[in-house]
Amino acid sequence: MNSGLTFETIFLIFLLGNIVLSFFLYLRQVRLINQERGRIPHVFAGQVSIEAHQSAADKCLRIDQLYEIRHIVFLLLVFILSFCGLLPWQASVTTEFFGDGVFAQTAVVLEVAALFLIVDALFAVSSQSGTGGLHFSALSNRPLALLIGLVSGLILLTVTFALWDSETMGWWLWSWLISAFLVPASVWLYEVLAFRGRPMPESPLKDRLNEFLTKAGFVSGSVFLSDRSAASRPVRIVGLGSARKIILESRLIDQLTPLETEALIAIEIGRTKYCSAVKASVIFMFLSFFFFLFLELAVQQPWFYQGLGVNPSEVIGHGEAFVLFSMAVFVFMFPLIPIKNLFMRSVEENAERFSVKLLDWNSMISAIVKAFADKAGSIAADPLYRIFYISHPDELCRIKAIQRMAPRHTRQRDSWLPNA
């Protein structure tokens, strides 16, 4: 068996394995949600009706179904683009119109990216009839995210192909360095622009929150209110240094007590203190380093193209090679997602451990219960499904973790809390 056939066999096994594994995880998740559909989680019993709980569970099932179909469609697109010859045809048409320069190679990548984004957008629109925040971002922020992603992508691809075409020594390392700066900066810019609010009016609550921030040793510009739901995070900290802003959903002011509001802020401060965003960026930098390194190594090997159903002699330019490698990474990386998710969950646990030291843990749990009561029917997650698809603890996991980290003599203070 030659190298090309070996790689093709391995790739197709992973491709089929991705479909089988994701469908297996989906069936486990559906079974669990159906089992939990008829009973409200203990801590949410006083906050949500059984009808609302079941409605949330049904919407969650619909979103999970759409997410599973989307994942399978993505994998089928990978197969069609490579083994069915769509990518070579598309690359030849593009270079026929634009030549074979940097612009043409960038266009090849952007055209394929647009195909995947269109599919993603179709499923995102359909998901808005569901809970709207479990797997897909809110539609109101998608245009901004796409704009920032397009600009940063254009910059990165243009520089990468320019260095690649010029055969600059270590071009892949320069491309990695640019991506290591550009992508985290784009994420930061998106959060600053997407999550804005109005200054919180002067009130006893604002004075109390400012005192709490001082006690917690957190330097912040101010507290802001927003009418826009942030889905899984009703409190956000955006910005850098003394210009950081704490943005609260305005609904929290009426729903929570001042102590409970402090509790949600404490959890977010814990995330900031333990640099969850920074550590996520470190993970990206680590993965992107190996992406560009293996890109440089793989595209020089004929077996790489043969294994993806493409004739090496017919590869028109670096854009086509870049797309082929990106699709291969998409297929091969799916089974490794749990490693990344486990790391991110450990960061969240450190944040909660810090938060528990700031205030009464009962208030932290009651704040989580009230803030996420509308999701009570959708927070159940199968353990295997969770490690593949959920990078942060769901609310039930967070509650149990907080209780487990609380001082031992206070753990059973309230009988309505679940046992850790």
Side-chain angles (χ1 to χ4, degrees):
M1 183 179 292
N2 60 45
S3 300
L5 185 57
T6 300
F7 182 68
E8 178 180 341
T9 302
I10 295 173
F11 180 81
L12 291 176
I13 289 174
F14 268 80
L15 184 67
L16 180 60
N18 274 327
I19 296 176
V20 173
L21 176 59
S22 65
F23 188 66
F24 169 72
L25 295 171
Y26 166 71
L27 292 179
R28 287 180 61 97
Q29 175 71 350
V30 169
R31 182 181 63 182
L32 180 67
I33 292 179
N34 284 329
Q35 289 175 350
E36 300 295 328
R37 185 178 182 276
R39 58 177 180 266
I40 302 173
H42 185 47
V43 293
F44 291 92
Q47 298 293 326
V48 62
S49 66
I50 186 64
E51 293 79 14
H53 171 77
Q54 292 175 341
S55 176
D58 293 340
K59 292 175 181 178
C60 183
L61 285 173
R62 173 174 171 77
I63 288 182
D64 287 337
Q65 181 185 57
L66 290 171
Y67 188 80
E68 175 61 19
I69 297 173
R70 187 194 72 158
H71 183 70
I72 292 176
V73 170
F74 278 180
L75 292 172
L76 291 177
L77 281 177
V78 168
F79 183 82
I80 293 171
L81 283 164
S82 55
F83 289 94
C84 295
L86 179 60
L87 178 61
W89 174 82
Q90 174 250 336
S92 64
V93 171
T94 301
T95 53
E96 182 179 344
F97 276 94
F98 300 112
D100 57 358
V102 171
F103 179 80
Q105 303 311 313
T106 302
V108 169
V109 178
L110 292 180
E111 288 164 0
V112 175
L115 177 61
F116 282 89
L117 285 173
I118 290 172
V119 173
D120 178 69
L122 291 175
F123 284 101
V125 171
S126 299
S127 74
Q128 297 309 300
S129 60
T131 58
L134 186 61
H135 293 303
F136 299 93
S137 59
L139 283 179
S140 56
N141 284 337
R142 290 183 68 84
L144 176 62
L146 288 174
L147 177 61
I148 294 176
L150 177 61
V151 173
S152 60
L154 276 172
I155 295 173
L156 179 59
L157 290 172
T158 301
V159 173
T160 295
F161 290 133
L163 292 171
W164 199 349
D165 284 350
S166 65
E167 299 182 351
T168 301
M169 182 176 297
W171 67 267
W172 64 271
L173 187 59
W174 287 107
S175 297
W176 170 70
L177 290 172
I178 294 170
S179 70
F181 166 78
L182 189 61
V183 174
S186 299
V187 172
W188 171 82
L189 179 62
Y190 166 74
E191 290 193 343
V192 170
L193 296 178
F195 300 102
R196 294 179 291 179
R198 59 187 183 279
M200 188 175 185
E202 297 296 330
S203 64
L205 176 60
K206 181 177 181 180
D207 295 337
R208 175 169 176 162
L209 294 179
N210 286 332
E211 291 178 5
F212 173 74
L213 295 176
T214 302
K215 173 187 173 183
F218 182 78
V219 179
S220 171
S222 187
V223 180
F224 286 72
L225 298 179
S226 173
D227 295 327
R228 175 181 294 175
S229 172
S232 61
R233 292 171 63 182
V235 179
R236 280 185 177 267
I237 297 176
V238 299
L240 298 173
S242 59
R244 288 181 295 189
K245 301 176 181 178
I246 295 180
I247 301 179
L248 308 175
E249 287 185 25
S250 56
R251 66 182 178 88
L252 299 178
I253 304 301
D254 298 325
Q255 292 182 0
L256 307 181
T257 66
L259 187 59
E260 290 167 344
T261 304
E262 290 176 353
L264 289 184
I265 293 176
I267 294 174
E268 197 65 20
I269 290 176
R271 287 196 183 104
T272 302
K273 181 178 178 62
Y274 284 92
C275 303
S276 59
V278 173
K279 291 177 179 177
S281 298
V282 170
I283 292 177
F284 168 79
M285 292 173 64
F286 177 80
L287 294 176
S288 62
F289 175 84
F290 285 101
F291 175 90
F292 284 105
L293 172 60
F294 289 134
L295 171 64
E296 158 71 356
L297 298 176
V299 297
Q300 301 179 30
Q301 308 301 323
W303 56 259
F304 170 74
Y305 302 99
Q306 294 168 357
L308 295 176
V310 176
N311 188 335
S313 62
E314 296 179 357
V315 175
I316 297 176
H318 298 319
E320 186 177 350
F322 186 91
V323 172
L324 285 170
F325 183 78
S326 299
M327 293 192 301
V329 169
F330 173 71
V331 171
F332 287 121
M333 284 297 293
F334 181 70
L336 302 179
I337 289 176
I339 299 175
K340 185 266 293 184
N341 287 347
L342 286 173
F343 178 82
M344 293 308 301
R345 279 196 291 273
S346 70
V347 173
E348 292 287 330
E349 288 183 3
N350 288 332
E352 287 151 7
R353 188 174 290 109
F354 168 81
S355 305
V356 167
K357 298 176 182 178
L358 292 180
L359 39 73
D360 180 74
W361 67 277
N362 290 274
S363 298
M364 296 180 67
I365 293 178
S366 61
I368 292 173
V369 168
K370 291 180 182 179
F372 295 97
D374 59 335
K375 289 179 59 183
S378 62
I379 60 177
D382 175 80
L384 282 179
Y385 185 90
R386 180 184 291 118
I387 67 173
F388 274 90
Y389 289 107
I390 303 176
S391 60
H392 297 76
D394 58 44
E395 282 63 52
L396 284 180
C397 290
R398 194 182 300 279
I399 287 171
K400 292 181 180 180
I402 290 173
Q403 187 182 14
R404 185 175 62 252
M405 297 170 188
R408 184 173 298 276
H409 70 280
T410 68
R411 289 186 183 178
Q412 297 301 325
R413 186 182 306 171
D414 290 330
S415 60
W416 58 273
L417 294 172
N419 291 326

